[in-house]
Each structure stands twice: as structure tokens, then as C-alpha cells.
Amino acid sequence: MPHSSEQNSEDHPSRLNRRDMLLAGTAMAVVSTATVAMGTAPTSAQQPQKPNVVFILADNVGYGDLGCYGGGELRGAPTPRLDQLAREGLRLTQFLVEPACTPSRAALLTGQYSIRNGLSLIAIEGSPNTLPARAFTMGELFKGAGYATAIFGKWHLGGEPQSLPTAHGFDEYYGIPPNISWDAATYVSTTELTHSVAATPAELLARGPQIVEATAGRALQTVKPFTPEVRANIDYELIDKSIDFIRRQKAAAKPFLLYLPFSMGHVPNLPSEQFKGKSRIGNYGDKIMEGDYHVGQILDTLKELGIDDSTLVVFASDNGPYGQTTREFGNDGTPDMGNAGPFRGELGEATEGAIRTVALIRWPGKIQPNTTSYAMFSIMDFMPTFAHIVGGTMPTDRPIDGVDQTDVLLGNSAAGHRENLLSFIGADLVAARWKQWRIYFTDVHPTGDGPQRQPGIFSASARMAGYPKVYNIEMDPHEDLIVGGMFSWVSEPALKQVDEYLETVKKYPNPPAPNVTQFHGGRG
């Protein structure tokens, strides 16, 4: 893969003789004098040396949804700004996540498999699992490296005081309730519809999900009810908050981490007035186009403020598409959902289409523009990669499952530093990736019949007859042909990574895994 190579004088100290150093010193003095005469501070005071980081996380946008991944105009929903971001940076084609939103976000923010923090299922109402106080997050990593930090959008890692973003290194937080997701906007209306709670509409609204905000050291505050109307326009609010944060940190000459987990792609796809009807495929397409526009607003702000070149921007999705299980949210029964491209499955499964999705990374002057990497890259890998880039310190008292992929970003390695990945659903290790092979230890299949046929988060798992199922995702991207009989040798390297993981659990036991269907052993 093409890459730029920068030559640093520190690599060749012998090339600087005394005369060179004197000339260099004179030149620096002239520049310094001129700078003072113009009434401006030196460049180092104007611009932090460490890159700013903007991490935009979409929600359930599939591999086949964006133009730069074969979707866009072909899908009836053009994505020009994200396509531009791809041209200006690096496009990952083996970006792998966890099977659902809470697990993927836990993996992103901790650099660990979600099960290590008891978050290997989607957090739902009544679920006891929440981010532990001892978890070390990306917010704490950047905060320790001297960054201002903010999250605007969806946390989904628990609402307990010890689980909040502001308890884990983030200075500012504004968004939806920290323990639930975007569909919470429908809670009040569906409660009214079914008369399930004896309360007036005003009482239901007051009790229902609320937009919240907090700053470090202060308690969570409610702002307003999270209604369908608020849902339709929430990303405008999050972008305004983000732009304000960027402007304030620019004025303070402080490096920043902006984590923007906005709503693009997640049901209910209620488009704003500006984008309603813009696409040719209904609400989902409208919301994809709206999200593309909002990404453009962030990029334009960085350019306007002159910090475009000193900011590393990531756009990624937390999961593959939220598909058949939520068709009822759509347009008159049409398939108002994302597209997994050539891969099989959807959110909630451990299939390739559920865990392989989009990721674009731009860092001018460091990442070669218009490049593509086929390196296997997990969502967990961002944490140690950022630690390398910003000089942050990762904890050593726990297993870190992410790997430093700086070489992939800078074009120094085509293969990267990862060749395997495990997938968990609840307490179960259900699948593994090793190179181009997918290995299933559980048979994940839809439940029900007819219109009630449920894949995704409502799919069922069945025990196998002692042997895993093996697919080659390069020969067979849709995972239609089991090839374990022809390639039985694949089991050895696949099971080796399982053994290595199990050894770490002996030393660092996992907390109880989430479980909201079996209670004979107590709640997890």
C-alpha cells in the first residue's frame, strides 16, 4: 500500500555539524524576532503538537450503504461528503466490530472484548449490567494525555453514577439517556397506545426518557423529554454542541477528543424537515443523507478554523444494519433498513454482515489520501492506536485485546497486526475469525415463521454436534458453503486463539455476563 515517508533529523544526528547548528540558531532567532514584531505568538503556542481527534460513530450503518463502499447513489441515498472523506484518507475494508451496539461501544472505549466488562449484550430497560467503575476508557486515556474531552450523543453503557462518561474522563456530555438507545423516543407514545401505565400524558412525558447533560464533577441533569420530534432533530443539536466545543478548544489552544456517536442509521429513522423525502428509499435513506451532511459540517468547521491538518478524523459504524427485526418502524412496510453489502446477517448476530462495517480515517500529512487497507482492524484497536499517537498510557493491570495499528494508518504495513478476532453474545463465545476464515461454535439462526421470522437480536442459538462450522469469506462472502470438511486444518489456529483467551480469563476473571432470560443462577 502506498505511503509517505517523513525523514527526521533525529534519525541522523551526525549530519548536523557545529556550523549547521549555528546557522539554524540564527535562522530561528530571525523567525522569532519577526514573529514578535508581528504581535503573534510562536506557532507552537498557537497550535498543539498532539493531533486533535474527532471520532464520529454512526449507528448500524451497513457495509453496503455508503457510496465509497458501493452504496450511496446506487442505494438511492448519495453520500458525497463521506465519499470525499474516503478520497482524502484511508478506507478500511476489514473493519470488524462486536455483534450489537452496547458491546461495540464498550469494546471501542476500553480496548477490550465487551464481555470483560460485563457488557456483551445490548443494554435494555431493566438490565442490571453497567460499565464498572474500574473500567479504563478512551476518555481517561485522552484526559491523561492533556486533552479536553467531550461526548455528544449516545453512550449506552449504563446510567449508574460510576458508569457515566463524566466518571470516565469526559469533561462534557450531552445526549440521550446513557443506558438506552435512539428508539427510546417512542416509549411514551407506545405506552399511551397500550394503556399499560395509569398516568396522564403529561406524567408519562415527565417520567419518560429525557435528554441529559453533565460536566465532570457534577451530577447528571435532565434537559427536556426525548420525544419523536426531538429524535428527528437530535443530530442538529449534537452537531451544534460539537462545533461549539471545537471552537472553544481552538480558542484555548488545547488539543481535544470529540466523540460524536450520533443517530445516523438507527431506528426510528425520523428525518428532519430539511431531509424528509430527499432519498429515493424512504426514511433510512433520508437519514443517511442527513448524516452525510452533518459529517460535512464538522469537516468544514475544522477547515474554517485552520485545524484541518492537525486533526485526525474517524468515521465508523458500530454495527452492521438493523434489519428485519425493525421493519415495523419503516415506510408503509417497505424495507427501511441498512445494507450489509455482499455479507450475510444483521445486528445481533455474529455473522460477517453483522460485524464487518465501514470505517474511514483521515489525518492530513500522515495518512496517504485515497488509500484502502484490507488489514483486519477491530474496533478495539483504536484505543491502543490512539495511545501510541497521542502519548497516552494504557493500563497494565488487565488484558487489552486491541492492538496498535498505527502502521496500518501510516501505510507502513499492508497486513496490520491482527489476524484473529472472537465474537461473544451474552455469556457465550459464539464465533471466531482467523484470517479469511469464519468459525462458528454455535449455530445462529432465525426464530419463528412467516412475518414473525426473527433474525438479528432475536435469533436463536443451538448447540452443534461437536464440530464448529467453517466458512471462507473470500471464496464465499455470503457464508453459504460450509467447508470445514475440506479445510479441517483451520480448526487448529482458530482454537489456539480460544485457548489463549481462556488463559487470560483464569488470571483476570470476567464479571457476570449479561443475561435477561435465565435467572436460576441469579441475575448477571
Side-chain angles (χ1 to χ4, degrees):
M1 188 168 66
H3 64 276
S4 60
S5 58
E6 296 184 2
Q7 191 160 314
N8 193 317
S9 61
E10 292 177 0
D11 297 332
H12 306 282
S14 61
R15 293 182 183 176
L16 285 177
N17 57 33
R18 187 170 183 275
R19 178 176 175 275
D20 293 330
M21 289 190 287
L22 287 171
L23 288 173
T26 303
M28 288 178 65
V30 170
V31 171
S32 178
T33 302
T35 303
V36 172
M38 289 187 291
T40 58
T43 303
S44 59
Q46 292 177 342
Q47 186 60 51
Q49 296 300 309
K50 298 177 179 181
N52 308 307
V53 174
V54 174
F55 200 111
I56 305 172
L57 189 66
D59 210 324
N60 308 333
V61 171
Y63 191 94
D65 280 327
L66 307 185
C68 50
Y69 283 87
E73 183 66 57
L74 188 66
R75 281 272 286 144
T79 54
R81 298 309 301 269
L82 286 163
D83 299 347
Q84 172 197 339
L85 184 62
R87 290 192 302 272
E88 295 174 351
L90 174 67
R91 182 174 63 101
L92 300 179
T93 56
Q94 279 205 94
F95 177 62
L96 301 169
V97 298
E98 294 219 13
C101 6
T102 294
S104 279
R105 287 156 200 267
L108 168 67
L109 286 159
T110 65
Q112 299 178 287
Y113 287 118
S114 60
I115 196 168
R116 296 199 191 273
N117 287 290
L119 293 169
S120 49
L121 282 182
I122 298 173
I124 60 173
E125 290 284 345
S127 169
N129 292 79
T130 190
L131 186 69
R134 73 177 299 273
F136 181 83
T137 74
M138 194 180 291
E140 289 160 299
L141 174 77
F142 277 83
K143 193 67 183 169
Y147 278 64
T149 55
I151 165 179
F152 302 118
K154 168 180 164 181
W155 181 243
H156 212 185
L157 299 180
E160 296 298 317
Q162 78 272 12
S163 306
L164 299 177
T166 47
H168 287 278
F170 286 94
D171 299 321
E172 304 177 30
Y173 168 41
Y174 181 94
I176 61 174
N179 58 330
I180 46 182
S181 191
W182 304 106
D183 52 297
T186 65
Y187 284 3
V188 169
S189 59
T190 52
T191 302
E192 285 187 280
L193 173 72
T194 57
H195 302 282
S196 298
V197 177
T200 67
E203 289 170 333
L204 287 175
L205 204 60
R207 286 191 220 167
Q210 305 288 307
I211 296 294
V212 294
E213 64 182 359
T215 54
R218 294 177 181 249
L220 204 64
Q221 302 291 320
T222 59
V223 178
K224 60 186 174 185
F226 182 41
T227 63
E229 293 73 28
V230 172
R231 167 73 184 91
N233 295 286
I234 186 67
D235 289 337
Y236 282 89
E237 287 191 70
L238 302 179
I239 294 299
D240 287 346
K241 295 277 185 186
S242 297
I243 291 174
D244 175 66
F245 175 76
I246 293 171
R247 291 187 184 280
R248 284 188 280 118
Q249 305 319 315
K250 160 66 175 176
K254 190 172 179 67
F256 61 85
L257 166 67
L258 168 63
Y259 175 39
L260 176 57
F262 67 163
S263 78
M264 176 187 185
H266 195 291
V267 294
N269 285 293
L270 303 176
S272 65
E273 194 61 37
Q274 183 177 345
F275 282 88
K276 189 170 181 58
K278 287 287 186 182
S279 78
R280 302 191 299 276
I281 57 172
N283 289 349
Y284 183 81
D286 295 348
K287 213 64 181 175
I288 291 293
M289 293 180 67
E290 181 181 318
D292 180 79
Y293 167 75
H294 290 315
V295 171
Q297 288 182 285
I298 296 292
L299 299 178
D300 291 345
T301 299
L302 297 174
K303 189 173 288 291
E304 174 198 335
L305 296 176
I307 56 175
D308 194 50
D309 289 346
S310 57
T311 303
L312 190 162
V313 176
V314 178
F315 174 90
S317 178
D318 68 338
N319 295 118
Y322 207 159
Q324 296 290 336
T325 57
T326 56
R327 282 187 59 161
E328 290 81 1
F329 278 114
N331 330 285
D332 300 323
T334 62
D336 187 42
M337 58 191 188
N339 185 288
F343 307 112
R344 172 174 73 106
E346 63 178 67
L347 164 72
E349 300 173 3
T351 47
E352 192 74 6
I355 70 166
R356 190 196 292 211
T357 185
V358 300
L360 308 170
I361 312 169
R362 189 190 72 173
W363 188 11
K366 301 289 186 181
I367 293 176
Q368 280 277 15
N370 205 27
T371 51
T372 296
S373 175
Y374 188 60
M376 189 184 295
F377 196 118
S378 165
I379 196 168
M380 298 182 293
D381 296 343
F382 278 113
M383 181 95 155
T385 302
F386 287 152
H388 182 141
I389 289 170
V390 307
T393 303
M394 295 289 289
T396 58
D397 62 343
R398 66 200 69 196
I400 299 298
D401 303 299
V403 298
D404 180 3
Q405 299 275 36
T406 307
D407 285 340
V408 173
L409 270 57
L410 301 184
N412 297 328
S413 173
H417 302 295
R418 172 180 293 282
E419 62 177 24
N420 53 55
L421 188 74
L422 302 177
S423 293
F424 301 86
I425 296 178
D428 298 327
L429 171 53
V430 296
R433 269 286 306 274
W434 175 69
K435 295 189 175 180
Q436 71 268 49
W437 305 91
R438 283 203 59 77
I439 302 96
Y440 292 93
F441 310 120
T442 300
D443 192 12
V444 181
H445 59 87
T447 59
D449 297 306
Q452 281 295 308
R453 186 174 184 273
Q454 295 290 313
I457 61 173
F458 297 113
S459 59
S461 296
R463 292 184 182 277
M464 292 180 178
Y467 299 99
K469 288 183 176 177
V470 178
Y471 298 86
N472 184 306
I473 57 168
E474 291 180 334
M475 293 178 174
D476 173 28
H478 200 255
E479 303 176 57
D480 294 318
L481 302 172
I482 300 170
V483 294
M486 291 178 283
F487 299 97
S488 58
W489 53 266
V490 170
S491 62
E492 192 275 332
L495 293 174
K496 182 173 182 275
Q497 61 171 309
V498 174
D499 291 338
E500 290 171 350
Y501 163 74
L502 293 175
E503 282 299 312
T504 69
V505 175
K506 290 179 184 177
K507 185 176 181 181
Y508 302 101
N510 294 333
N515 182 359
V516 289
T517 60
Q518 298 175 14
F519 310 105
H520 53 77
R523 296 194 67 159

